Amino acid sequence: MAAQSGEVTESVLPTAEETAPAAAEKKGPSTKEKVCKFLDSNSFLLGAVFVILLAAIAPGARYYFAADVTASWLAVIYIFVMSGLSLKTEELVKALKNYKFNFAVQFFNMCVVTLIVYGVAELLAGSNSLNRDLADGMVICAALPMTVNMVIVLTKSSGGDEAAAVFNAALGNLLGVFLTPAWILILLGESADIDFGAVVLKLFYRVLIPLAVGQILQFYFPSVKDYVKAHKKNFKKSQEFALVFIVYMTFCKTFEDGVEAWWGDILAVMAVQCALLVVLKGVSWGYMALLFRDQPKLRIMGFYGGVHKTVAMGIPLLNAIYDGDNRLGMYTLPLLIWHPAQLVIGTYLSPRLAKWVEETEKRLGIVPTDDDAPKPADGAVDANDIELANGEALGVEDTGTTERLVIEG
């Protein structure tokens, strides 16, 4: 015994030097850190606003960047190669058994939303309440597929079915490559003055071939895939830069050729887009409740997936379709409004929907199992750091009580 042998037992209490770092760790982030984090998390939106203002001041700058080559070809091709490299097509094989739900989600997102927005846009443009180009931009935005990782992260953080979210996000983006141009040609072919043959060729060269190249790199060149995964933050930022560059060159041409819309039209389309998003989310909730009443996890996924629209695939896709059209900036603007609005609303609703799922499952007597925690496939990353086709990186940070969305880009 130490006491009997005369040895002195050392105190195990921590010293002041040892407690100081622990106390510092408990302090929250500084104001500078918060500002830097906000700027990094919203870099795409802030960058897009900045370059639109810059384009309004000096639209002739596009000639110094050889926009017809860099923005119309190189940036678009790069984005779709990276999309093909990261798109988890193996997930399409999974969840096929739930074809009724998958069809319901894709039908609502690509058809119901598109037709509702088309009706509203035609009503506003026909009554001269909204600029025609902005109204057409609303329809184009509605015809785009859902976001990839924003839908997945919001579904997970809200207690929804993540596996269904992964499947439908991947499927929707593949379908969108074909369905979005088809809807544009059907609904806006005359007013948008689209050459069908030219559009097909541009989509083939700038979208389909780059996507195929990305898929080949993913499956047959694992070293390339591993390198991109190891430097995912840098590649994510490079894709974001490419998107902002496309927006910049697009609005340079728009302002150079002259803008027929005035600030009243822009404020009006902002209000209409936000109102439509809220209404369509309500319709989506009722639609899912009608079809999948006793499946709360699926209803959550359908709620988000039914209405969200992708900006990361949408901008380069529109650039490929409307290359050289001076109205492209006006066509893009409604999407740049819809994108942050859906994120803000989704982030607000996330913890409330998670609580609703838990209470609903208790009421229905649904016992959570291990299957409710999605298991990433081989080579996939955890849902806390999702890296998928649209080049963004989103994560879910556990704060102890509820999950807080961390948005990067």
Side-chain angles (χ1 to χ4, degrees):
M1 302 288 290
Q4 292 175 343
S5 61
E7 296 178 2
V8 179
T9 304
E10 294 183 0
S11 173
V12 295
L13 294 175
T15 63
E17 291 79 3
E18 294 173 332
T19 57
E25 290 178 359
K26 292 181 180 180
K27 293 181 179 180
S30 64
T31 302
K32 180 180 178 181
E33 291 172 334
K34 289 180 180 179
V35 171
C36 291
K37 186 174 183 178
F38 173 81
L39 294 175
D40 184 63
S41 300
N42 298 277
S43 55
F44 170 73
L45 181 60
L46 295 173
V49 173
F50 174 76
V51 297
I52 290 173
L53 295 175
L54 189 62
I57 297 171
R62 65 187 301 269
Y63 296 105
Y64 296 101
F65 293 98
D68 291 341
V69 176
T70 54
S72 299
W73 284 89
L74 298 182
V76 173
I77 289 173
Y78 172 70
I79 288 172
F80 280 107
V81 168
M82 296 305 298
S83 294
L85 183 59
S86 57
L87 188 61
K88 303 298 186 294
T89 47
E90 65 268 21
E91 296 294 341
L92 300 181
V93 181
K94 302 177 182 180
L96 277 174
K97 60 183 179 181
N98 204 358
Y99 63 91
K100 291 182 179 179
F101 174 76
N102 300 330
F103 175 80
V105 172
Q106 299 299 331
F107 177 75
F108 190 88
N109 183 278
M110 296 299 297
C111 297
V112 175
V113 171
T114 304
L115 293 174
I116 290 177
V117 173
Y118 173 71
V120 173
E122 283 297 303
L123 179 64
L124 293 174
S127 61
N128 295 320
S129 300
L130 187 65
N131 175 273
R132 165 54 70 179
D133 293 339
L134 289 174
D136 288 348
M138 290 171 52
V139 178
I140 293 168
C141 171
L144 291 168
M146 71 182 73
T147 55
V148 178
N149 48 10
M150 189 188 294
V151 165
I152 295 171
V153 172
L154 287 173
T155 296
K156 175 180 170 61
S157 65
S158 302
D161 192 320
E162 187 187 13
V166 171
F167 173 84
N168 279 281
L171 177 62
N173 275 254
L174 288 178
L175 292 175
V177 173
F178 304 97
L179 292 181
T180 297
W183 271 126
I184 292 174
L185 288 168
I186 292 170
L187 300 178
L188 306 177
E190 184 176 345
S191 63
D193 190 23
I194 298 174
D195 185 336
F196 178 77
V199 167
V200 171
L201 282 176
K202 285 189 287 187
L203 289 175
F204 182 74
Y205 290 128
R206 304 186 199 183
V207 178
L208 295 181
I209 290 180
L211 275 175
V213 170
Q215 285 286 284
I216 291 171
L217 291 174
Q218 178 183 159
F219 288 103
Y220 297 103
F221 296 88
S223 59
V224 175
K225 177 183 175 182
D226 293 340
Y227 182 81
V228 172
K229 183 177 179 181
H231 300 84
K232 59 186 176 183
K233 186 173 180 63
N234 293 331
F235 277 102
K236 187 271 294 186
K237 284 297 181 184
S238 69
Q239 288 175 273
E240 183 181 286
F241 175 80
L243 284 172
V244 172
F245 181 70
I246 291 173
V247 171
Y248 180 37
M249 294 297 100
T250 296
F251 276 89
C252 276
K253 182 171 179 56
T254 297
F255 286 117
E256 184 181 36
D257 294 339
V259 181
E260 295 181 2
W262 60 293
W263 284 106
D265 288 318
I266 295 174
L267 293 175
V269 79
M270 289 177 65
V272 171
Q273 286 290 85
C274 291
L276 272 173
L277 181 58
V278 172
V279 170
L280 286 170
K281 277 188 173 290
V283 175
S284 176
W285 181 261
Y287 174 76
M288 286 293 140
L290 181 65
L291 297 179
F292 306 97
R293 180 178 179 181
D294 295 332
Q295 300 179 68
K297 288 183 177 294
L298 289 181
R299 286 174 60 181
I300 294 296
M301 189 277 126
F303 170 71
Y304 287 119
V307 181
H308 277 222
K309 299 296 177 178
T310 175
V311 68
M313 183 170 283
I315 289 177
L317 189 61
L318 295 184
N319 190 272
I321 296 173
Y322 290 105
D323 180 29
D325 194 321
N326 64 342
R327 296 168 295 181
L328 181 56
M330 294 296 98
Y331 292 160
T332 306
L333 188 59
L335 176 59
L336 294 177
I337 297 168
W338 192 280
H339 179 72
Q342 67 189 6
L343 176 59
V344 171
I345 295 174
T347 304
Y348 172 77
L349 292 176
S350 176
R352 293 160 179 81
L353 291 175
K355 184 177 180 181
W356 174 83
V357 170
E358 183 179 354
E359 293 174 349
T360 303
E361 287 190 331
K362 286 182 180 179
R363 178 176 57 82
L364 295 173
I366 300 175
V367 180
T369 64
D370 292 338
D371 293 336
D372 291 331
K375 301 176 181 58
D378 293 339
V381 291
D382 189 86
N384 287 338
D385 190 14
I386 295 173
E387 176 195 1
L388 287 173
N390 62 358
E392 299 171 342
L394 293 96
V396 181
E397 186 174 290
D398 192 352
T399 59
T401 53
T402 60
E403 290 177 317
R404 179 171 62 87
L405 291 180
V406 180
I407 311 297
E408 297 181 359

